[in-house]
Amino acid sequence: MTLWAIFLSGLFTGGLACVAVQGGLLMTSISSRNKKNSIERTNNNKIIPIISFIGAKIFAYTILGFLLGWFGALFKLSLGVQVFLQFAVGFFMMGTALDLLRIHPIFRYFIIQPPRFLSRMIMNRSRSSDLFAPLILGFFTVFIPCGVTQVMMALSIASGSSLNGAAILFVFILGTSPTFFILGYFITKLGDSMQRQSMNMAAYAIIILAIFNINNAVALTGSSFTLEKIWKGFWCTFSFCKNSPTELSGQLDEEGRQIINIDIKASGYVPDNLNIKAGSRVKLSIKNIDGSGCAQVFTIPKLGIQRSIPIGISDNIYFTAPITLGELQFMCNAGIVRGRFNII
C-alpha cells in the first residue's frame, strides 16, 4: 500500500473503528476535568485535551512503527510466509468486523485485549482530572490498538525498514485524527444507537478491506481463481471479449533468450500483458521509473521469483517459461498491482 492509501484507510476506516474504545476513554478524561473546572467550561476545555491526546498518540505510534520496522528488517520472509501472513491478516480483519457487528460471541477472541492490570491503570488514568491525563492516555493507546491499527502494525513489520515502519503508522494515525477529533468531540452528545451505527459502518468497511486482502493473497499464490477472473469469466459469458494477440513480445538476444522490458510506474507495470513462448528462456529487464509502495517488489508467484527494485533502479531477472499454456501472473508482493504473461 502507498502512504496515500494508508492515510485514506485511517481517514475512512481507522477513525470509526477506534473511536468507540479510545474516544470513550478520552471523553471520560474530558468529563472528569470539566467537573473540576465547572466555573470555566469553554470549548477550549474540550479541544485542548483532544489535541494533546491526538498529538501524543501520533508520536507514540510513530515510535512504535520505527521499532516494528526495525524488527521486521531482522528477518526476510519467504514468499510462502508472506502468503500465509496475508491470509491470516485478512481472516483476522473479517473476525474483527464480525465481532463489531455482534454476530456471535466467539468472534470476541479476534480482539486483542491488554492485560487486566494495564487496563485498570489506563481506566484510572482516564478518570483523572489532571491537565496531562489526555496526553498520557494518548501514549497508552499503543497498548489497546483497534483491529485496523493492528493490521497497519503488521504492515510496519512487513516493510522491513525502520523509517518505512515509522512512516506507515505516522500516516495512518494522522489519517484517523480528523474523524477521531470530530467524533470524539461530539461523542458525549451521541446516543447509544448512533454509536452503534458508527461501529456498524466501520465493520462493513473492514469486511470490504478483508475481502480485498484475501483476494490479493489468493493472487499471490499464483492462482487464477480471483474475484477479477471470476467476474471476467461471467462477463465474457454474456458479452464479446477480445482475444489477446498471439505475437511474441520482445526480441531474441544472441543467446536465444526472449527479451522482455517492463517499466514500474506510478500507475503500475507497463506493459502488463505480454506473450512469451512456452518453455523458452526469458530475460526480463525491469526499470523502476516512479513506482512506489509494493510495486517495487516484483513477484512471479508460480516461479517463486521475488525481486526488490527501488525507484530509479534497473534489474534483470532470468527464468524459463512454463511449458503449460495459459497465464503466468506477475504482481507486487501484496498482490495488489498485477500483470500477466500469456504462455503461447
PDB file of all heavy atoms in Angstrom, residues 163-194:
ATOM      1  N   LEU A 163      12.415   3.310   8.998  1.00  0.00           N
ATOM      2  CA  LEU A 163      11.825   4.549   8.509  1.00  0.00           C
ATOM      3  C   LEU A 163      10.466   4.301   7.865  1.00  0.00           C
ATOM      4  O   LEU A 163       9.511   5.058   8.080  1.00  0.00           O
ATOM      5  CB  LEU A 163      12.767   5.231   7.519  1.00  0.00           C
ATOM      6  CG  LEU A 163      14.091   5.750   8.096  1.00  0.00           C
ATOM      7  CD1 LEU A 163      14.941   6.392   7.008  1.00  0.00           C
ATOM      8  CD2 LEU A 163      13.836   6.751   9.224  1.00  0.00           C
ATOM      9  N   ASN A 164      10.367   3.224   7.076  1.00  0.00           N
ATOM     10  CA  ASN A 164       9.085   2.903   6.453  1.00  0.00           C
ATOM     11  C   ASN A 164       8.040   2.520   7.498  1.00  0.00           C
ATOM     12  O   ASN A 164       6.869   2.897   7.393  1.00  0.00           O
ATOM     13  CB  ASN A 164       9.245   1.764   5.444  1.00  0.00           C
ATOM     14  CG  ASN A 164       9.951   2.208   4.179  1.00  0.00           C
ATOM     15  OD1 ASN A 164      10.019   3.396   3.889  1.00  0.00           O
ATOM     16  ND2 ASN A 164      10.497   1.268   3.436  1.00  0.00           N
ATOM     17  N   GLY A 165       8.465   1.765   8.508  1.00  0.00           N
ATOM     18  CA  GLY A 165       7.536   1.382   9.577  1.00  0.00           C
ATOM     19  C   GLY A 165       7.017   2.596  10.322  1.00  0.00           C
ATOM     20  O   GLY A 165       5.822   2.692  10.611  1.00  0.00           O
ATOM     21  N   ALA A 166       7.926   3.544  10.616  1.00  0.00           N
ATOM     22  CA  ALA A 166       7.511   4.774  11.288  1.00  0.00           C
ATOM     23  C   ALA A 166       6.571   5.581  10.407  1.00  0.00           C
ATOM     24  O   ALA A 166       5.562   6.129  10.886  1.00  0.00           O
ATOM     25  CB  ALA A 166       8.742   5.605  11.660  1.00  0.00           C
ATOM     26  N   ALA A 167       6.870   5.654   9.104  1.00  0.00           N
ATOM     27  CA  ALA A 167       6.035   6.427   8.176  1.00  0.00           C
ATOM     28  C   ALA A 167       4.637   5.826   8.056  1.00  0.00           C
ATOM     29  O   ALA A 167       3.640   6.550   8.007  1.00  0.00           O
ATOM     30  CB  ALA A 167       6.708   6.492   6.801  1.00  0.00           C
ATOM     31  N   ILE A 168       4.552   4.486   8.033  1.00  0.00           N
ATOM     32  CA  ILE A 168       3.257   3.814   7.887  1.00  0.00           C
ATOM     33  C   ILE A 168       2.337   4.155   9.053  1.00  0.00           C
ATOM     34  O   ILE A 168       1.187   4.579   8.863  1.00  0.00           O
ATOM     35  CB  ILE A 168       3.456   2.290   7.770  1.00  0.00           C
ATOM     36  CG1 ILE A 168       4.053   1.935   6.404  1.00  0.00           C
ATOM     37  CG2 ILE A 168       2.127   1.550   7.972  1.00  0.00           C
ATOM     38  CD1 ILE A 168       4.516   0.498   6.293  1.00  0.00           C
ATOM     39  N   LEU A 169       2.824   3.997  10.275  1.00  0.00           N
ATOM     40  CA  LEU A 169       1.965   4.260  11.434  1.00  0.00           C
ATOM     41  C   LEU A 169       1.728   5.753  11.635  1.00  0.00           C
ATOM     42  O   LEU A 169       0.645   6.160  12.065  1.00  0.00           O
ATOM     43  CB  LEU A 169       2.575   3.647  12.693  1.00  0.00           C
ATOM     44  CG  LEU A 169       2.409   2.127  12.821  1.00  0.00           C
ATOM     45  CD1 LEU A 169       2.892   1.637  14.180  1.00  0.00           C
ATOM     46  CD2 LEU A 169       0.971   1.690  12.604  1.00  0.00           C
ATOM     47  N   PHE A 170       2.715   6.582  11.308  1.00  0.00           N
ATOM     48  CA  PHE A 170       2.518   8.032  11.421  1.00  0.00           C
ATOM     49  C   PHE A 170       1.398   8.494  10.491  1.00  0.00           C
ATOM     50  O   PHE A 170       0.478   9.213  10.899  1.00  0.00           O
ATOM     51  CB  PHE A 170       3.808   8.770  11.083  1.00  0.00           C
ATOM     52  CG  PHE A 170       3.627  10.262  10.939  1.00  0.00           C
ATOM     53  CD1 PHE A 170       3.549  11.081  12.055  1.00  0.00           C
ATOM     54  CD2 PHE A 170       3.531  10.847   9.676  1.00  0.00           C
ATOM     55  CE1 PHE A 170       3.371  12.449  11.932  1.00  0.00           C
ATOM     56  CE2 PHE A 170       3.348  12.215   9.542  1.00  0.00           C
ATOM     57  CZ  PHE A 170       3.271  13.015  10.671  1.00  0.00           C
ATOM     58  N   VAL A 171       1.456   8.068   9.231  1.00  0.00           N
ATOM     59  CA  VAL A 171       0.461   8.486   8.244  1.00  0.00           C
ATOM     60  C   VAL A 171      -0.912   7.923   8.580  1.00  0.00           C
ATOM     61  O   VAL A 171      -1.931   8.609   8.453  1.00  0.00           O
ATOM     62  CB  VAL A 171       0.907   8.057   6.826  1.00  0.00           C
ATOM     63  CG1 VAL A 171      -0.218   8.250   5.815  1.00  0.00           C
ATOM     64  CG2 VAL A 171       2.127   8.854   6.393  1.00  0.00           C
ATOM     65  N   PHE A 172      -0.950   6.664   9.034  1.00  0.00           N
ATOM     66  CA  PHE A 172      -2.238   6.051   9.373  1.00  0.00           C
ATOM     67  C   PHE A 172      -2.899   6.779  10.538  1.00  0.00           C
ATOM     68  O   PHE A 172      -4.084   7.130  10.477  1.00  0.00           O
ATOM     69  CB  PHE A 172      -2.049   4.573   9.707  1.00  0.00           C
ATOM     70  CG  PHE A 172      -3.315   3.895  10.151  1.00  0.00           C
ATOM     71  CD1 PHE A 172      -4.302   3.565   9.235  1.00  0.00           C
ATOM     72  CD2 PHE A 172      -3.537   3.594  11.486  1.00  0.00           C
ATOM     73  CE1 PHE A 172      -5.483   2.958   9.635  1.00  0.00           C
ATOM     74  CE2 PHE A 172      -4.704   2.988  11.896  1.00  0.00           C
ATOM     75  CZ  PHE A 172      -5.672   2.666  10.971  1.00  0.00           C
ATOM     76  N   ILE A 173      -2.158   7.001  11.632  1.00  0.00           N
ATOM     77  CA  ILE A 173      -2.725   7.679  12.797  1.00  0.00           C
ATOM     78  C   ILE A 173      -3.076   9.125  12.452  1.00  0.00           C
ATOM     79  O   ILE A 173      -4.090   9.656  12.929  1.00  0.00           O
ATOM     80  CB  ILE A 173      -1.747   7.612  13.980  1.00  0.00           C
ATOM     81  CG1 ILE A 173      -1.479   6.159  14.366  1.00  0.00           C
ATOM     82  CG2 ILE A 173      -2.318   8.363  15.186  1.00  0.00           C
ATOM     83  CD1 ILE A 173      -2.716   5.376  14.751  1.00  0.00           C
ATOM     84  N   LEU A 174      -2.270   9.750  11.606  1.00  0.00           N
ATOM     85  CA  LEU A 174      -2.603  11.099  11.143  1.00  0.00           C
ATOM     86  C   LEU A 174      -3.930  11.092  10.390  1.00  0.00           C
ATOM     87  O   LEU A 174      -4.754  12.005  10.533  1.00  0.00           O
ATOM     88  CB  LEU A 174      -1.489  11.641  10.245  1.00  0.00           C
ATOM     89  CG  LEU A 174      -1.636  13.091   9.762  1.00  0.00           C
ATOM     90  CD1 LEU A 174      -1.543  14.051  10.945  1.00  0.00           C
ATOM     91  CD2 LEU A 174      -0.565  13.425   8.726  1.00  0.00           C
ATOM     92  N   GLY A 175      -4.161  10.049   9.595  1.00  0.00           N
ATOM     93  CA  GLY A 175      -5.419   9.924   8.865  1.00  0.00           C
ATOM     94  C   GLY A 175      -6.610   9.733   9.782  1.00  0.00           C
ATOM     95  O   GLY A 175      -7.718  10.192   9.477  1.00  0.00           O
ATOM     96  N   THR A 176      -6.403   9.068  10.917  1.00  0.00           N
ATOM     97  CA  THR A 176      -7.521   8.865  11.849  1.00  0.00           C
ATOM     98  C   THR A 176      -7.873  10.143  12.610  1.00  0.00           C
ATOM     99  O   THR A 176      -8.970  10.244  13.165  1.00  0.00           O
ATOM    100  CB  THR A 176      -7.194   7.771  12.880  1.00  0.00           C
ATOM    101  OG1 THR A 176      -6.137   8.223  13.739  1.00  0.00           O
ATOM    102  CG2 THR A 176      -6.775   6.468  12.206  1.00  0.00           C
ATOM    103  N   SER A 177      -6.948  11.088  12.638  1.00  0.00           N
ATOM    104  CA  SER A 177      -7.108  12.255  13.517  1.00  0.00           C
ATOM    105  C   SER A 177      -8.338  13.107  13.218  1.00  0.00           C
ATOM    106  O   SER A 177      -9.072  13.464  14.150  1.00  0.00           O
ATOM    107  CB  SER A 177      -5.835  13.113  13.473  1.00  0.00           C
ATOM    108  OG  SER A 177      -4.725  12.375  13.936  1.00  0.00           O
ATOM    109  N   PRO A 178      -8.637  13.481  11.943  1.00  0.00           N
ATOM    110  CA  PRO A 178      -9.827  14.318  11.707  1.00  0.00           C
ATOM    111  C   PRO A 178     -11.119  13.643  12.156  1.00  0.00           C
ATOM    112  O   PRO A 178     -11.948  14.258  12.855  1.00  0.00           O
ATOM    113  CB  PRO A 178      -9.804  14.543  10.194  1.00  0.00           C
ATOM    114  CG  PRO A 178      -8.384  14.360   9.795  1.00  0.00           C
ATOM    115  CD  PRO A 178      -7.864  13.291  10.694  1.00  0.00           C
ATOM    116  N   THR A 179     -11.300  12.383  11.755  1.00  0.00           N
ATOM    117  CA  THR A 179     -12.503  11.661  12.164  1.00  0.00           C
ATOM    118  C   THR A 179     -12.541  11.489  13.674  1.00  0.00           C
ATOM    119  O   THR A 179     -13.584  11.655  14.314  1.00  0.00           O
ATOM    120  CB  THR A 179     -12.544  10.276  11.485  1.00  0.00           C
ATOM    121  OG1 THR A 179     -12.466  10.450  10.072  1.00  0.00           O
ATOM    122  CG2 THR A 179     -13.815   9.539  11.834  1.00  0.00           C
ATOM    123  N   PHE A 180     -11.387  11.179  14.248  1.00  0.00           N
ATOM    124  CA  PHE A 180     -11.306  10.980  15.682  1.00  0.00           C
ATOM    125  C   PHE A 180     -11.632  12.264  16.429  1.00  0.00           C
ATOM    126  O   PHE A 180     -12.328  12.242  17.453  1.00  0.00           O
ATOM    127  CB  PHE A 180      -9.899  10.509  16.050  1.00  0.00           C
ATOM    128  CG  PHE A 180      -9.837   9.807  17.368  1.00  0.00           C
ATOM    129  CD1 PHE A 180      -9.941   8.428  17.424  1.00  0.00           C
ATOM    130  CD2 PHE A 180      -9.676  10.507  18.547  1.00  0.00           C
ATOM    131  CE1 PHE A 180      -9.887   7.772  18.635  1.00  0.00           C
ATOM    132  CE2 PHE A 180      -9.615   9.864  19.765  1.00  0.00           C
ATOM    133  CZ  PHE A 180      -9.721   8.492  19.809  1.00  0.00           C
ATOM    134  N   PHE A 181     -11.143  13.386  15.925  1.00  0.00           N
ATOM    135  CA  PHE A 181     -11.401  14.667  16.582  1.00  0.00           C
ATOM    136  C   PHE A 181     -12.889  15.006  16.547  1.00  0.00           C
ATOM    137  O   PHE A 181     -13.491  15.371  17.560  1.00  0.00           O
ATOM    138  CB  PHE A 181     -10.595  15.767  15.898  1.00  0.00           C
ATOM    139  CG  PHE A 181     -10.768  17.119  16.536  1.00  0.00           C
ATOM    140  CD1 PHE A 181      -9.941  17.531  17.564  1.00  0.00           C
ATOM    141  CD2 PHE A 181     -11.775  17.985  16.119  1.00  0.00           C
ATOM    142  CE1 PHE A 181     -10.099  18.774  18.163  1.00  0.00           C
ATOM    143  CE2 PHE A 181     -11.947  19.222  16.704  1.00  0.00           C
ATOM    144  CZ  PHE A 181     -11.103  19.622  17.729  1.00  0.00           C
ATOM    145  N   ILE A 182     -13.491  14.875  15.368  1.00  0.00           N
ATOM    146  CA  ILE A 182     -14.901  15.235  15.220  1.00  0.00           C
ATOM    147  C   ILE A 182     -15.789  14.317  16.056  1.00  0.00           C
ATOM    148  O   ILE A 182     -16.636  14.768  16.836  1.00  0.00           O
ATOM    149  CB  ILE A 182     -15.314  15.182  13.733  1.00  0.00           C
ATOM    150  CG1 ILE A 182     -14.568  16.260  12.936  1.00  0.00           C
ATOM    151  CG2 ILE A 182     -16.818  15.371  13.583  1.00  0.00           C
ATOM    152  CD1 ILE A 182     -14.751  16.150  11.449  1.00  0.00           C
ATOM    153  N   LEU A 183     -15.589  13.005  15.910  1.00  0.00           N
ATOM    154  CA  LEU A 183     -16.419  12.069  16.654  1.00  0.00           C
ATOM    155  C   LEU A 183     -16.129  12.138  18.150  1.00  0.00           C
ATOM    156  O   LEU A 183     -17.039  12.011  18.975  1.00  0.00           O
ATOM    157  CB  LEU A 183     -16.195  10.651  16.132  1.00  0.00           C
ATOM    158  CG  LEU A 183     -16.666  10.379  14.697  1.00  0.00           C
ATOM    159  CD1 LEU A 183     -16.387   8.938  14.314  1.00  0.00           C
ATOM    160  CD2 LEU A 183     -18.142  10.686  14.530  1.00  0.00           C
ATOM    161  N   GLY A 184     -14.854  12.346  18.496  1.00  0.00           N
ATOM    162  CA  GLY A 184     -14.513  12.457  19.905  1.00  0.00           C
ATOM    163  C   GLY A 184     -15.147  13.668  20.555  1.00  0.00           C
ATOM    164  O   GLY A 184     -15.583  13.616  21.707  1.00  0.00           O
ATOM    165  N   TYR A 185     -15.248  14.760  19.820  1.00  0.00           N
ATOM    166  CA  TYR A 185     -15.816  15.996  20.360  1.00  0.00           C
ATOM    167  C   TYR A 185     -17.319  15.857  20.623  1.00  0.00           C
ATOM    168  O   TYR A 185     -17.854  16.380  21.598  1.00  0.00           O
ATOM    169  CB  TYR A 185     -15.553  17.139  19.384  1.00  0.00           C
ATOM    170  CG  TYR A 185     -16.001  18.483  19.901  1.00  0.00           C
ATOM    171  CD1 TYR A 185     -15.241  19.185  20.827  1.00  0.00           C
ATOM    172  CD2 TYR A 185     -17.191  19.050  19.465  1.00  0.00           C
ATOM    173  CE1 TYR A 185     -15.647  20.420  21.302  1.00  0.00           C
ATOM    174  CE2 TYR A 185     -17.614  20.281  19.933  1.00  0.00           C
ATOM    175  CZ  TYR A 185     -16.838  20.971  20.845  1.00  0.00           C
ATOM    176  OH  TYR A 185     -17.248  22.193  21.320  1.00  0.00           O
ATOM    177  N   PHE A 186     -17.983  15.126  19.722  1.00  0.00           N
ATOM    178  CA  PHE A 186     -19.436  15.024  19.844  1.00  0.00           C
ATOM    179  C   PHE A 186     -19.901  13.706  20.460  1.00  0.00           C
ATOM    180  O   PHE A 186     -21.106  13.479  20.564  1.00  0.00           O
ATOM    181  CB  PHE A 186     -20.089  15.172  18.461  1.00  0.00           C
ATOM    182  CG  PHE A 186     -19.978  16.560  17.907  1.00  0.00           C
ATOM    183  CD1 PHE A 186     -19.085  16.837  16.885  1.00  0.00           C
ATOM    184  CD2 PHE A 186     -20.755  17.599  18.403  1.00  0.00           C
ATOM    185  CE1 PHE A 186     -18.973  18.127  16.361  1.00  0.00           C
ATOM    186  CE2 PHE A 186     -20.647  18.883  17.890  1.00  0.00           C
ATOM    187  CZ  PHE A 186     -19.755  19.146  16.868  1.00  0.00           C
ATOM    188  N   ILE A 187     -18.970  12.846  20.867  1.00  0.00           N
ATOM    189  CA  ILE A 187     -19.383  11.515  21.318  1.00  0.00           C
ATOM    190  C   ILE A 187     -20.254  11.567  22.565  1.00  0.00           C
ATOM    191  O   ILE A 187     -21.128  10.718  22.769  1.00  0.00           O
ATOM    192  CB  ILE A 187     -18.147  10.613  21.555  1.00  0.00           C
ATOM    193  CG1 ILE A 187     -18.577   9.152  21.619  1.00  0.00           C
ATOM    194  CG2 ILE A 187     -17.397  11.015  22.819  1.00  0.00           C
ATOM    195  CD1 ILE A 187     -17.422   8.174  21.609  1.00  0.00           C
ATOM    196  N   THR A 188     -20.047  12.572  23.415  1.00  0.00           N
ATOM    197  CA  THR A 188     -20.865  12.670  24.624  1.00  0.00           C
ATOM    198  C   THR A 188     -22.303  13.065  24.306  1.00  0.00           C
ATOM    199  O   THR A 188     -23.196  12.911  25.147  1.00  0.00           O
ATOM    200  CB  THR A 188     -20.266  13.704  25.596  1.00  0.00           C
ATOM    201  OG1 THR A 188     -20.101  14.949  24.915  1.00  0.00           O
ATOM    202  CG2 THR A 188     -18.918  13.244  26.116  1.00  0.00           C
ATOM    203  N   LYS A 189     -22.537  13.591  23.105  1.00  0.00           N
ATOM    204  CA  LYS A 189     -23.878  14.010  22.720  1.00  0.00           C
ATOM    205  C   LYS A 189     -24.604  12.940  21.905  1.00  0.00           C
ATOM    206  O   LYS A 189     -25.763  13.121  21.541  1.00  0.00           O
ATOM    207  CB  LYS A 189     -23.821  15.313  21.918  1.00  0.00           C
ATOM    208  CG  LYS A 189     -23.201  16.469  22.706  1.00  0.00           C
ATOM    209  CD  LYS A 189     -23.173  17.738  21.881  1.00  0.00           C
ATOM    210  CE  LYS A 189     -22.554  18.893  22.664  1.00  0.00           C
ATOM    211  NZ  LYS A 189     -22.518  20.142  21.880  1.00  0.00           N
ATOM    212  N   LEU A 190     -23.883  11.879  21.594  1.00  0.00           N
ATOM    213  CA  LEU A 190     -24.488  10.822  20.785  1.00  0.00           C
ATOM    214  C   LEU A 190     -25.173   9.805  21.681  1.00  0.00           C
ATOM    215  O   LEU A 190     -24.662   9.438  22.735  1.00  0.00           O
ATOM    216  CB  LEU A 190     -23.427  10.109  19.946  1.00  0.00           C
ATOM    217  CG  LEU A 190     -22.760  10.939  18.838  1.00  0.00           C
ATOM    218  CD1 LEU A 190     -21.682  10.107  18.171  1.00  0.00           C
ATOM    219  CD2 LEU A 190     -23.769  11.416  17.826  1.00  0.00           C
ATOM    220  N   GLY A 191     -26.296   9.316  21.227  1.00  0.00           N
ATOM    221  CA  GLY A 191     -26.973   8.244  21.935  1.00  0.00           C
ATOM    222  C   GLY A 191     -26.350   6.900  21.604  1.00  0.00           C
ATOM    223  O   GLY A 191     -25.500   6.788  20.714  1.00  0.00           O
ATOM    224  N   ASP A 192     -26.784   5.872  22.310  1.00  0.00           N
ATOM    225  CA  ASP A 192     -26.248   4.539  22.062  1.00  0.00           C
ATOM    226  C   ASP A 192     -26.506   4.067  20.629  1.00  0.00           C
ATOM    227  O   ASP A 192     -25.689   3.382  20.028  1.00  0.00           O
ATOM    228  CB  ASP A 192     -26.853   3.536  23.047  1.00  0.00           C
ATOM    229  CG  ASP A 192     -26.385   3.799  24.479  1.00  0.00           C
ATOM    230  OD1 ASP A 192     -25.331   4.430  24.635  1.00  0.00           O
ATOM    231  OD2 ASP A 192     -27.095   3.373  25.411  1.00  0.00           O
ATOM    232  N   SER A 193     -27.661   4.443  20.083  1.00  0.00           N
ATOM    233  CA  SER A 193     -27.999   3.989  18.735  1.00  0.00           C
ATOM    234  C   SER A 193     -27.042   4.571  17.703  1.00  0.00           C
ATOM    235  O   SER A 193     -26.616   3.879  16.776  1.00  0.00           O
ATOM    236  CB  SER A 193     -29.438   4.377  18.390  1.00  0.00           C
ATOM    237  OG  SER A 193     -29.606   5.794  18.426  1.00  0.00           O
ATOM    238  N   MET A 194     -26.667   5.855  17.860  1.00  0.00           N
ATOM    239  CA  MET A 194     -25.736   6.472  16.917  1.00  0.00           C
ATOM    240  C   MET A 194     -24.348   5.860  17.037  1.00  0.00           C
ATOM    241  O   MET A 194     -23.662   5.649  16.037  1.00  0.00           O
ATOM    242  CB  MET A 194     -25.675   7.977  17.180  1.00  0.00           C
ATOM    243  CG  MET A 194     -26.913   8.741  16.768  1.00  0.00           C
ATOM    244  SD  MET A 194     -27.173   8.681  14.969  1.00  0.00           S
ATOM    245  CE  MET A 194     -25.754   9.601  14.404  1.00  0.00           C
TER     246      MET A 194
END
